[in-house]
Amino acid sequence: MKPIRTLAFGELLLRLSPPGHERLLQSPSLNATFGGGEANVAISLAHFGVDSHFVTRLPPNPVGDAALRVLRAEGVGIDAVQRGGERMGIYFVEAGASQRPWSIAYDRAHSAISELDPSSLDWPKLLRDVAWFHTSGITPALGPGPAESTRRAVQAARELGVTVSLDFNYRRMLWSASSAKEVLPSLVRYVDVLFAGEDDLRTFLGIPIPHGALDPASLDLRACETAAARVVSEYGVRQLAITLRENLSASHNGWSALLYDGPSKTLHRGPRHVVHLVDRIGAGDSFVAGLVFAQLDGKPLDQALRFAVAASALKQTIPGDFNRVSVAEVERLGDAEDGGRVRR
C-alpha cells in the first residue's frame, strides 16, 4: 500500500538553550538544536511512519544546510524546501523549574521565510497526492509573504479536497491582536480540523465562551460543547480540538484534551496525565501530529484523542522540540488510560 502523504508549511527555527536549568548566558554555553511548530508536526508524523513533507525557506549558508540535514535525518521530505534569504529565525528557551516558569524569547525578524514570495509556491502541484495539509497561525504572523502564501495554501487544499488542519497558535510577540483578527478568521473558513484555545475562540472568532470554561480545575463541558458547536456552524470546520494544561508547577503539569466532532455532534474528553516536565516545548505540536496520524489511520474518535494525548504527554518527557516516539510506545500509554465520549 502506498504510504499516506502529508504536507506541513511553516518556519524552521534555530533553538538555543542554556544547559540544564540555567538562566540564559548564566554560563557561556548554549545548546543549539532546531524546532518550530509546523516542522515539529512534520517530524512527529515521519516518526509514525507517514510520508511526511515540509515546505519552508532556509538561507543558503551553513546554518541552513544543517537545518536541512536535520529534516532529512528525521525522515521528512525536503523537495519543497526553498533556499534563499540571509538568516534563520532564532528562539531562546530557558527551562523552568518549581516556581520559576519556562521562558521563550524570539529573534526572527527578517528571517528567510519572512521574505517569502507567494508566487514562488505552486500549491496545486505541492498538494498533489497529499491527504492532509497542516499549518498554524504563526506562519501568517511572519510577514505579508507568508500570510498570503498561507491563504493560497489552505484555499488550494480545500479546492483539491485535501484535509486541512490549523493550529491557531496566536503569538503576541509576533503580531498584534488587531492584525491577527484581520487574517486568522478568514483562514479558519478553509479548515477542517481546528486546534484552538479559549482566548482564540473568544477574541478572534467571536465565540462567546465564559472565562475559565476551559480551566481544567473547573471545566465547564456544557459551555465547551456549545462553543465548539458554534465554531462548526459559523466557520464550517469539521472538528475542534483543545488541549488542557494544568500548571501544577513549572516542573509538573496535568495534561489532557477535548475533541468536538461536528458531523456526529459529540464531545470527546481525553484521559488526564500528570507529566514530570523535561521539555514542554512542542507539546501542542505533538498533540496535533498524534490526532492527524490517528485519524488517517482510521481510529475511532475516542481512540484517536487518547492516542494524541498520550503522544503529547510522552513528548514532554523528551528534550528538544521533536517527539521521538513510535506508534507502539504511544499506543502502550494510550491503552493504559481511560477516556472517551462525554455522556450526560
Side-chain angles (χ1 to χ4, degrees):
M1 175 183 279
K2 187 176 181 180
I4 295 171
R5 186 181 180 94
T6 61
L7 185 68
F9 171 51
E11 182 171 29
L12 183 64
L13 297 132
L14 176 64
R15 169 176 165 165
L16 301 176
S17 303
H21 291 85
E22 290 184 9
R23 305 305 304 269
L24 186 63
L25 296 177
Q26 177 177 331
S27 62
S29 298
L30 291 173
N31 295 320
T33 55
F34 294 96
E38 304 84 359
N40 295 343
V41 172
I43 288 168
S44 285
L45 289 170
H47 280 267
F48 292 150
V50 172
D51 182 19
S52 176
H53 295 256
F54 187 53
V55 182
T56 193
R57 188 170 188 252
L58 296 172
N61 61 29
V63 181
D65 294 344
L68 204 62
R69 287 196 298 271
V70 165
L71 289 172
R72 188 184 294 114
E74 298 294 340
V76 174
I78 57 172
D79 290 347
V81 174
Q82 292 188 7
R83 305 304 298 271
E86 297 182 357
R87 66 178 299 248
M88 287 190 68
I90 301 171
Y91 75 115
F92 300 87
V93 180
E94 281 187 10
S98 191
Q99 284 75 36
R100 178 167 60 86
W102 287 66
S103 174
I104 295 178
Y106 291 126
D107 174 18
R108 56 201 300 181
H110 307 293
S111 65
I113 197 173
S114 72
E115 299 168 351
L116 178 68
D117 177 2
S119 66
S120 67
L121 294 171
D122 184 346
W123 287 110
K125 181 179 179 181
L126 291 170
L127 290 162
R128 189 177 301 153
D129 298 325
V130 167
W132 196 299
F133 173 76
H134 176 75
T135 191
S136 86
I138 293 175
T139 306
L142 301 176
E148 175 60 15
S149 298
T150 305
R151 186 196 67 78
R152 294 185 186 188
V154 295
Q155 186 173 17
R158 172 59 63 90
E159 291 172 355
L160 293 168
V162 176
T163 300
V164 177
S165 59
L166 175 78
D167 190 348
F168 216 91
N169 254 342
Y170 170 67
R171 295 289 186 265
R172 64 179 180 272
M173 289 182 283
L174 296 178
W175 58 347
S176 67
S178 59
S179 295
K181 274 178 124 173
E182 294 176 2
V183 175
L184 293 178
S186 62
L187 295 179
V188 171
R189 299 190 183 279
Y190 294 100
V191 169
D192 297 289
V193 183
L194 178 66
F195 298 83
E198 182 181 312
D199 289 341
D200 303 325
L201 301 182
R202 185 186 305 110
T203 303
F204 299 104
L205 300 185
I207 302 298
I209 182 170
H211 288 275
L214 290 172
D215 182 343
S218 56
L219 191 62
D220 186 340
L221 290 174
R222 189 172 296 278
C224 296
E225 189 169 17
T226 299
R230 286 196 59 170
V231 173
V232 169
S233 173
E234 295 179 19
Y235 289 88
V237 306
R238 188 176 78 239
Q239 294 175 345
L240 173 68
I242 301 167
T243 56
L244 305 172
R245 185 185 291 277
E246 300 170 75
N247 288 303
L248 307 175
S249 73
S251 307
H252 289 82
N253 282 185
W255 183 255
S256 186
L258 301 174
L259 175 66
Y260 181 80
D261 180 64
S264 63
K265 298 181 179 179
T266 54
L267 179 67
H268 302 259
R269 184 176 183 178
R272 176 179 180 268
H273 298 267
V274 176
V275 182
H276 175 73
L277 294 179
V278 172
D279 195 327
R280 64 177 282 162
I281 308 299
D285 308 323
S286 56
F287 174 78
V288 170
L291 193 63
V292 170
F293 169 79
Q295 296 207 58
L296 288 173
D297 195 46
K299 297 183 187 299
L301 292 180
D302 289 347
Q303 293 180 26
L305 181 59
R306 191 157 62 243
F307 183 94
V309 173
S312 49
L314 288 172
K315 159 61 202 74
Q316 296 173 79
T317 70
I318 300 169
D321 270 52
F322 305 152
N323 196 15
R324 304 176 184 281
V325 295
S326 67
V327 172
E329 288 174 310
V330 176
E331 288 180 338
R332 276 198 296 273
L333 177 60
D335 290 346
E337 299 292 340
D338 292 324
R341 182 180 304 176
V342 174
R343 296 182 174 86
R344 305 198 188 285

